[in-house]
């Protein structure tokens, strides 16, 4: 056990995982330099322990004797979250770790505080060294996350034994294990009628659902297709059995669904028929496994309530195969469950889209902090939601992910307050006001679509007239000079700084990229490990444009 922390023997004899101490050490060393015996950083005596009675997953931080600080969790998770709070409250100097003054008790309000990592298109979570992604999961857990979700997206592969599929399974298992080690529940996202790239053509679904569709999904109403779907789920569950998934998240659309006469309306017909069988298979396979039934894009784009009303009828008697209902959309939360309550009286969780909105490529211009937007969305659902899973496509949305994590922890805590804590911890207590002002400007100026003009190489900005871009850049440049080197070089700072730089540079040059823009876009490419990424998740530098050959048909629009 590293010497920086000790375990509180009189409180609990059980084990605090060594991982906790390692994470604590890593976070301090990132800022203060290495621990060395006899020299270097001298933290106070920090005691970790577990004592029931605080409140599920909560923690208490208190003074012990003679410079000792005790971080006591209600359970192991609570202890980890308490460590996060203690780390965020501290001050960091070269060779010096100074604990903050916060003492007290904190207990999370929402039960599901999720992370969904999209692992595709060679984005960060798909392509960065797996150790970095594991650390990132731990970092988010320090903010209170307790569920981790990934998707093995079958349409990329020709069956589960495709070498590329095996490679992805190995990576996803690694990430899920990292989540488990940090104490999170881990789960698999699946489309209810998912198909591989080589699915039998005669069993394929009718793709005219009005939503995105890969064209390889299966129609469970065709003879033999349901059996194939279930067989492929058994294979997938086998492939992930060693991590023993805690939950399954079943999805209807985007992509997926079937518009044939026997299946439609998919959300309250074919989807439920095949979904129930998949859910029961999962619950049989993994004891105490839970099922989250997604209603994503229900009734879009038709502006009816057919699927929601159908689901309400189907769940008039509450289903025994669903534990949570997931609802959300690209923008505002769907009205139906807010007005009528969740079908089946199920607890409802959200799935806020924190990554793609008005930014193509996603994250292509750096960080996308949107605290005002997400505060508004959260206000609509915070009283009914049991938590949720923000859609995280890359580390560029880190601030948005953390803000949601903080709001799930404490539903009435303003996003702006959580943002202060983020800036203070990740950057420095000395730059909070300046960075807050800069983020407000970045949010007002949010919006790029390079996709429309990729042949001319001109960036299209939305809004057309960005304002105060120079002020945002100057605020961050000024902060940059005051930050310690380790923070100035950190990816969390660089992606924010480069976003301000790109906003200003593009705005002053009629949206034409300058050499300075090219440098910034190349640096973002390195930070995201996006050299081989597909264009939707790759910063649009000249070099990347020239080498990018991939453009999915379904994304063309003018
Ligand atoms: Zn069908």
């Amino acid at each position: 056990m590293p010497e920086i922390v000790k375990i509180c023997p009189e409180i609990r004899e059980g084990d605090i995982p060594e991982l906790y101490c390692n994470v604590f050490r890593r976070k301090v060393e990132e800022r203060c330099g290495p621990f060395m015996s006899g020299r270097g950083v001298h933290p106070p005596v920090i005691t970790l322990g577990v004592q029931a009675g605080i409140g599920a997953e909560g923690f208490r931080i208190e003074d012990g004797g003679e410079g000792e600080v005790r971080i006591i969790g209600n359970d192991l998770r609570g202890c980890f979250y308490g460590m996060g709070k203690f780390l965020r409250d501290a001050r960091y100097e070269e060779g010096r770790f100074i604990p903050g003054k916060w003492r007290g008790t904190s207990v999370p309000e929402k039960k599901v505080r999720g992370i969904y990592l999209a692992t595709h298109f060679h984005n960060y979570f798909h392509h960065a060294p797996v150790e970095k992604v594991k650390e990132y999961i731990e970092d988010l857990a320090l903010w209170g996350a307790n569920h981790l979700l990934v998707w093995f997206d079958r349409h990329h592969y020709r069956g589960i034994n495709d070498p590329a599929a095996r490679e992805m399974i190995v990576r996803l298992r690694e990430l899920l294990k990292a989540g488990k080690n940090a104490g999170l529940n881990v789960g698999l996202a699946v489309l209810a009628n998912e198909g591989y790239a080589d699915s039998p053509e005669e069993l394929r679904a009718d793709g005219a659902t009005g939503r995105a569709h890969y064209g390889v999904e299966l129609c469970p109403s065709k003879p033999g297709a349901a059996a194939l779907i279930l067989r492929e789920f058994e294979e997938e569950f086998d492939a992930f059995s060693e991590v023993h998934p805690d939950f399954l998240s079943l999805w209807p659309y985007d992509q997926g669904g079937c518009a044939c006469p026997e299946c439609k309306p998919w959300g309250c017909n074919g989807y439920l028929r095949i979904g129930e069988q998949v859910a029961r298979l999962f619950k049989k396979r993994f004891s105490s496994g839970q099922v989250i039934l997604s209603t994503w894009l229900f009734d879009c784009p038709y502006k009816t309530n057919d699927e929601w009303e159908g689901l309400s009828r189907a769940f008039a008697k509450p289903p025994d195969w669903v534990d949570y209902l997931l609802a959300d959309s690209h923008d505002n939360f769907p009205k139906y469950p807010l007005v009528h309550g969740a079908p089946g009286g199920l607890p409802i969780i959200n799935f806020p889209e924190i990554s793609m909105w008005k930014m193509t490529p996603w994250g292509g211009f750096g960080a996308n902090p949107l605290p005002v937007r997400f505060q508004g969305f959260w206000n609509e659902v915070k009283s009914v939601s049991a938590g949720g899973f923000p859609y995280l496509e890359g580390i560029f949305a880190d601030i948005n992910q953390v803000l949601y994590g903080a709001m799930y922890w404490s539903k009435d805590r303003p996003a702006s307050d959580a943002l202060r804590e983020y800036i203070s911890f990740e950057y420095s207590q000395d730059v909070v006001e300046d960075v807050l002002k800069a983020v407000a400007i970045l949010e007002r100026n949010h919006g790029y679509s390079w996709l429309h003009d990729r042949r001319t190489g001109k960036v299209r900005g939305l809004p057309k007239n960005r304002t105060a871009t120079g002020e945002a850049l100057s605020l961050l440049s000024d902060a940059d000079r005051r930050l310690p080197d380790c923070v100035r070089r950190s990816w969390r700072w660089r992606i924010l700084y480069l976003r301000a730089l790109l906003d200003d540079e593009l705005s002053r040059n009629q949206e034409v990229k300058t050499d300075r823009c090219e440098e910034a876009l190349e640096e973002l490419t390195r930070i995201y490990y996006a050299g081989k990424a597909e264009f939707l998740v790759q910063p649009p530098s000249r070099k990347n444009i020239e080498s990018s050959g991939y453009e999915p048909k379904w994304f063309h629009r003018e």
Side-chain angles (χ1 to χ4, degrees):
M1 193 67 74
E3 68 279 16
I4 54 166
V5 288
K6 67 174 186 179
I7 309 304
C8 200
E10 74 274 26
I11 288 183
R12 179 188 151 126
E13 288 186 1
D15 288 330
I16 297 289
E18 187 160 345
L19 174 99
Y20 285 29
C21 305
N22 293 337
V23 170
F24 187 88
R25 167 191 282 262
R26 172 170 68 78
K27 295 309 288 180
V28 176
E29 286 190 345
E30 280 170 5
R31 305 290 288 275
C32 302
F35 285 98
M36 296 165 74
S37 55
R39 32 193 295 250
V41 177
H42 292 289
V45 176
I46 298 153
T47 302
L48 303 179
V50 170
Q51 188 175 46
I54 294 170
E57 304 188 5
F59 60 82
R60 186 172 71 237
I61 299 180
E62 62 192 17
D63 288 313
E66 296 190 33
E68 179 196 20
V69 181
R70 294 171 164 230
I71 303 170
I72 309 300
N74 179 75
D75 35 53
L76 280 176
R77 276 185 186 164
C79 184
F80 197 79
Y81 305 143
M83 242 169 55
K85 179 70 189 174
F86 181 68
L87 285 164
R88 292 194 292 279
D89 192 42
R91 227 186 136 86
Y92 300 84
E93 290 171 9
E94 180 72 34
R96 205 158 162 238
F97 172 83
I98 309 152
K101 293 189 165 49
W102 194 93
R103 300 290 181 270
T105 301
S106 184
V107 179
E109 293 176 12
K110 300 299 185 187
K111 210 167 172 184
V112 179
R113 304 179 304 280
I115 308 166
Y116 168 62
L117 299 184
T119 51
H120 57 178
F121 304 150
H122 298 275
N123 69 2
Y124 184 87
F125 304 125
H126 183 182
H127 209 76
V130 74
E131 288 306 318
K132 297 235 175 224
V133 185
K134 286 181 181 179
E135 287 182 358
Y136 187 61
I137 292 168
E138 293 162 5
D139 287 357
L140 292 179
L142 286 170
W143 282 95
N146 66 353
H147 281 66
L148 172 67
L149 178 64
V150 297
W151 177 27
F152 170 65
D153 179 354
R154 290 184 204 165
H155 96 283
H156 292 293
Y157 316 112
R158 302 173 74 82
I160 199 156
N161 291 318
D162 184 328
R166 301 314 299 186
E167 201 179 314
M168 177 57 89
I169 287 167
V170 167
R171 184 176 178 89
L172 294 179
R173 279 200 302 235
E174 284 292 299
L175 301 184
L176 294 177
K177 276 185 214 162
K180 279 238 156 157
N181 290 341
L184 282 68
N185 285 356
V186 304
L188 301 169
V190 300
L191 299 173
N193 66 330
E194 194 149 12
Y196 287 101
D198 60 351
S199 63
E201 281 186 30
E202 67 280 10
L203 299 184
R204 285 182 177 172
D206 180 340
T209 61
R211 293 87 165 170
H213 207 266
Y214 285 140
V216 300
E217 295 87 341
L218 299 161
C219 166
S221 299
K222 290 181 176 170
L228 177 61
I229 289 172
L230 294 172
R231 195 158 68 243
E232 289 180 342
F233 272 110
E234 283 202 56
E235 289 174 352
E236 181 171 339
F237 298 160
D238 277 347
F240 286 96
S241 63
E242 70 180 64
V243 292
H244 198 91
D246 301 288
F247 64 99
L248 181 77
S249 178
L250 265 169
W251 284 67
Y253 292 121
D254 199 21
Q255 293 64 39
C258 181
C260 84
E262 286 75 35
C263 289
K264 75 175 185 185
W266 176 250
C268 57
N269 181 13
Y271 175 50
L272 296 184
R273 274 189 282 123
I274 190 66
E276 179 175 349
Q277 293 182 71
V278 175
R280 292 197 187 283
L281 190 69
F282 179 80
K283 282 176 175 275
K284 192 172 154 203
R285 182 67 202 267
F286 300 106
S287 58
S288 70
Q290 295 200 306
V291 170
I292 298 170
L293 189 77
S294 168
T295 61
W296 178 254
L297 297 187
F298 259 30
D299 293 313
C300 299
Y302 305 114
K303 297 192 168 41
T304 63
N305 278 327
D306 293 353
E307 291 182 309
W308 276 110
E309 285 170 359
L311 187 69
S312 280
R313 284 193 298 276
F315 286 180
K317 178 172 174 256
D320 65 350
W321 55 278
V322 182
D323 299 281
Y324 289 94
L325 213 57
L326 182 154
D328 222 320
S329 77
H330 288 103
D331 285 295
N332 288 75
F333 195 82
K335 285 278 173 279
Y336 186 92
L338 293 179
V339 174
H340 302 276
L346 289 160
I348 202 155
I349 58 176
N350 70 347
F351 191 80
E353 197 289 88
I354 61 168
S355 297
M356 302 183 291
W357 186 67
K358 283 194 179 176
M359 190 70 94
T360 312
W362 309 325
F365 301 87
N368 69 339
L370 295 163
V372 174
R373 175 177 172 82
F374 297 126
Q375 178 75 73
F377 285 174
W378 180 241
N379 288 348
E380 282 187 305
V381 300
K382 66 182 181 184
S383 306
V384 297
S385 162
F389 288 84
Y391 171 75
L392 191 58
E393 180 70 55
I395 51 174
F396 60 85
D398 184 56
I399 290 179
N400 299 333
Q401 169 75 35
V402 164
L403 295 185
Y404 262 106
M407 295 189 291
Y408 291 149
W409 186 279
S410 180
K411 75 176 167 59
D412 293 319
R413 184 181 186 192
S416 56
D417 190 52
L419 182 56
R420 277 175 187 278
E421 188 172 356
Y422 180 97
I423 296 167
S424 170
F425 175 49
E426 297 295 355
Y427 307 143
S428 161
Q429 288 167 345
D430 303 331
V431 301
V432 171
E433 296 309 320
D434 285 353
V435 177
L436 271 177
K437 274 188 224 159
V439 167
I441 296 171
L442 295 184
E443 177 160 15
R444 285 202 299 278
N445 289 331
H446 180 94
Y448 286 105
S449 180
W450 167 74
L451 187 69
H452 298 274
D453 288 311
R454 69 189 296 257
R455 278 171 192 84
T456 65
K458 192 168 173 177
V459 172
R460 184 167 298 176
L462 305 162
K464 290 212 181 322
N465 299 310
R466 281 188 266 266
T467 55
T469 57
E471 187 186 344
L473 181 59
S474 144
L475 284 162
L476 294 189
S477 299
D478 192 42
D480 189 70
R481 284 187 283 276
R482 287 181 279 141
L483 290 172
D485 269 356
C486 56
V487 174
R488 291 183 66 221
R489 288 194 304 267
S490 71
W491 64 262
R492 285 186 177 88
W493 177 250
R494 291 304 295 170
I495 63 174
L496 189 73
Y497 179 84
L498 292 173
R499 164 68 198 286
L501 186 150
L502 283 163
D503 271 18
D504 190 50
E505 196 71 5
L506 287 166
S507 168
R508 286 190 296 105
N509 291 285
Q510 292 75 49
E511 311 296 327
V512 176
K513 289 184 291 171
T514 61
D515 287 348
R516 216 171 160 212
C517 291
E518 293 295 341
E519 281 168 28
L521 294 167
E522 279 300 308
E523 184 179 344
L524 287 171
T525 304
R526 288 191 297 276
I527 291 171
Y528 299 163
Y529 293 87
K532 291 182 179 165
E534 292 170 14
F535 86 102
L536 279 173
V537 290
Q538 188 180 55
S541 68
R542 193 181 309 122
K543 193 172 151 208
N544 287 337
I545 293 166
E546 281 164 12
S547 62
S548 159
Y550 177 79
E551 203 166 357
K553 286 198 290 290
W554 51 267
F555 216 82
H556 268 302
R557 57 181 168 196
E558 281 303 321

